[in-house]
């Protein structure tokens, strides 16, 4: 089967970095047409820099990296240095990128790419706030019907919020953008905290990354050593939740995941619950299903896949 053509929209972030590495290590299943950076975990200048650092770490400097939106559609930017560190990629010492940013704005790359490829053949994989995606849909409504699928990391139901009591970070940062995406009519696969909080990098799993004894293996282990502090302190978890790599793993082995096709709406009015993904998991309303909301992951299978693929880089 031909590899799936994707655009990764991202705010690296250590977990975004691992998601990008997993995609670049899997050319049989994934063809990364480009990477679009968005403001999120850290400001845009850093997410655009970090995305290039990761491409160079993987030895894939041919992948174009575009800078996108530097703030949400209608709210001030909220960042997460408390989780990811000042650089957004704290942990390993990695060289500044030599590869330049691709010319042009990320939103225009998304629009041009969707127009250039056959309808229904390009998947969008947002790993951060949905500002670039929603901006592309607003600027070029004709591309909405051309999107094959959106597979995103964001939201929560049973796990509720990680940035507020009610909301997960990616959705919280730009709830209006998320509302546009969830109302677009495109098939959206949602990988929420309910799943990613089961994808924990325990010591044993991180030792397996280190045991690869490669530049990539050591970098991923050191990113995780840094990134896990926040979740261990807040949740008492056994290690860092690898949020974004779950998106890439879903593209490669969807059978590692299970969920329900339900209605999901985004809170955009109340400051108290702003950015909450109101998931009708128990189907108590007659609102039409608009998302495949993933609820479970085979965590051992996920880490076996991730470690095997990282060994290729
Ligand atoms: O809430 C977790 C999400 O927010 C992840 O994508 C992480 O990288 C941050 O963007
Ligand atoms: Ca992210």
């Amino acid at each position: 089967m031909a590899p799936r053509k994707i655009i990764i929209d991202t705010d690296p972030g250590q977990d975004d970095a691992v998601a990008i590495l997993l995609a670049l290590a899997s050319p049989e299943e994934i063809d990364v047409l480009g990477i679009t950076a968005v403001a999120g975990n850290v400001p845009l200048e850093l997410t655009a820099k970090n995305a290039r650092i990761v491409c160079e770490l993987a030895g894939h400097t041919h992948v174009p990296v575009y800078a996108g939106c530097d703030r949400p559609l209608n709210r001030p930017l909220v960042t997460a240095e408390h989780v990811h560190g000042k650089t957004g990629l704290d942990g390993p010492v990695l060289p500044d990128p030599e590869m330049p940013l691709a010319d042009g704005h990320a939103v225009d790359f998304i629009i041009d790419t969707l127009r250039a490829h056959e309808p229904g053949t390009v998947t969008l994989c947002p790993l951060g706030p949905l500002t670039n995606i929603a901006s592309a849909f607003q600027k070029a409504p004709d591309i909405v019907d051309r999107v094959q699928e959106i597979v995103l990391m964001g939201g929560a139901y049973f796990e509720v919020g990680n940035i507020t009591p009610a909301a997960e970070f990616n959705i919280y940062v730009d709830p209006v953008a998320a509302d546009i995406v969830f109302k677009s009519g495109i098939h959206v696969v949602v990988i929420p905290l309910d799943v990613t909080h089961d994808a924990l990098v325990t010591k044993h799993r991180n030792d397996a990354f280190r045991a690869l004894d490669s530049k990539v293996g050591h970098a991923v282990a050191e990113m995780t050593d840094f990134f896990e502090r926040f979740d261990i302190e807040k949740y008492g978890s056994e290690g860092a939740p690898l949020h974004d790599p779950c998106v890439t793993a879903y593209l490669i082995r969807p059978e590692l995941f299970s969920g329900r096709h339900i209605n999901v709406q985004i809170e955009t009015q109340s400051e108290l619950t702003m950015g909450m993904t109101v998931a009708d998991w128990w189907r108590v309303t007659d609102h039409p299903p608009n998302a495949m909301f993933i609820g479970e992951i085979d965590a051992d299978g996920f880490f076996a896949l991730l470690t095997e693929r990282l060994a290729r880089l």
Side-chain angles (χ1 to χ4, degrees):
M1 196 159 98
R4 190 158 166 163
K5 290 182 283 193
I6 74 169
I7 294 173
I8 298 176
D9 190 70
T10 179
D11 64 335
Q14 292 87 346
D15 59 319
D16 302 68
V18 181
I20 294 167
L21 291 170
L22 178 54
L24 296 177
S26 307
E28 305 90 340
E29 296 94 350
I30 296 174
D31 175 6
V32 181
L33 301 178
I35 295 174
T36 51
V38 67
N41 284 321
V42 286
L44 176 68
E45 188 189 344
L46 285 173
T47 60
K49 174 182 174 186
N50 293 343
R52 287 176 286 153
I53 288 175
V54 176
C55 287
E56 291 188 350
L57 174 64
H60 285 249
T61 53
H62 59 283
V63 177
V65 175
Y66 293 84
C69 300
D70 64 1
R71 74 200 63 190
L73 295 182
N74 72 334
R75 293 171 66 82
L77 177 63
V78 170
T79 53
E81 287 88 349
H82 62 291
V83 179
H84 300 276
K86 204 164 51 63
T87 71
L89 271 191
D90 283 30
V93 176
L94 296 169
D96 282 353
E98 289 178 12
M99 65 186 277
L101 273 175
D103 290 337
H105 195 283
V107 169
D108 295 323
F109 170 73
I110 293 168
I111 293 168
D112 296 345
T113 303
L114 283 163
R115 285 176 173 163
H117 290 263
E118 280 301 303
T121 62
V122 177
T123 294
L124 302 180
C125 298
L127 309 178
L130 292 162
T131 317
N132 285 344
I133 309 298
S135 300
F137 292 174
Q138 287 181 319
K139 184 172 182 180
D142 63 287
I143 66 169
V144 171
D145 290 342
R146 301 181 72 89
V147 178
Q148 177 179 21
E149 188 171 51
I150 292 175
V151 184
L152 66 83
M153 191 278 140
Y157 181 60
F158 294 101
E159 284 295 290
V160 279
N162 61 355
I163 186 76
T164 74
E168 177 278 329
F169 180 81
N170 288 340
I171 308 298
Y172 175 73
V173 168
D174 199 339
V176 169
D179 192 42
I180 289 168
V181 169
F182 278 77
K183 286 178 177 168
S184 67
I186 296 169
H187 187 255
V188 182
V189 177
V190 181
I191 311 269
L193 295 179
D194 306 63
V195 167
T196 65
H197 280 180
D198 284 340
L200 299 177
V201 186
T202 58
K203 183 181 178 316
H204 172 71
R205 288 165 174 167
N206 211 24
D207 288 347
F209 295 149
R210 230 182 291 276
L212 294 174
D213 200 19
S214 63
K215 220 172 29 143
V216 167
H218 286 299
V220 169
E222 288 158 19
M223 283 183 203
T224 304
D225 283 340
F226 180 87
F227 169 59
E228 69 179 13
R229 303 148 22 267
F230 171 77
D231 290 84
I232 290 176
E233 211 169 291
K234 176 170 184 163
Y235 295 100
S237 51
E238 274 185 83
L242 275 189
H243 305 288
D244 296 334
C246 291
V247 168
T248 319
Y250 179 87
L251 297 173
I252 300 167
R253 290 193 53 198
E255 69 274 15
L256 292 174
F257 301 85
S258 64
R260 292 182 182 182
H261 197 218
I262 59 172
N263 180 268
V264 180
Q265 298 186 45
I266 310 298
E267 175 62 72
T268 59
Q269 304 302 312
S270 150
E271 277 306 327
L272 178 63
T273 53
M274 184 62 72
M276 182 175 191
T277 44
V278 183
D280 189 7
W281 182 260
W282 301 111
R283 297 191 176 103
V284 295
T285 74
D286 56 0
H287 297 312
N290 62 336
M292 171 52 80
F293 198 84
I294 302 298
E296 292 190 335
I297 181 175
D298 168 357
D300 288 335
F302 167 69
F303 279 97
L305 171 69
L306 177 57
T307 308
E308 176 252 316
R309 294 296 165 100
L310 291 179
R312 295 178 171 185
L313 297 174

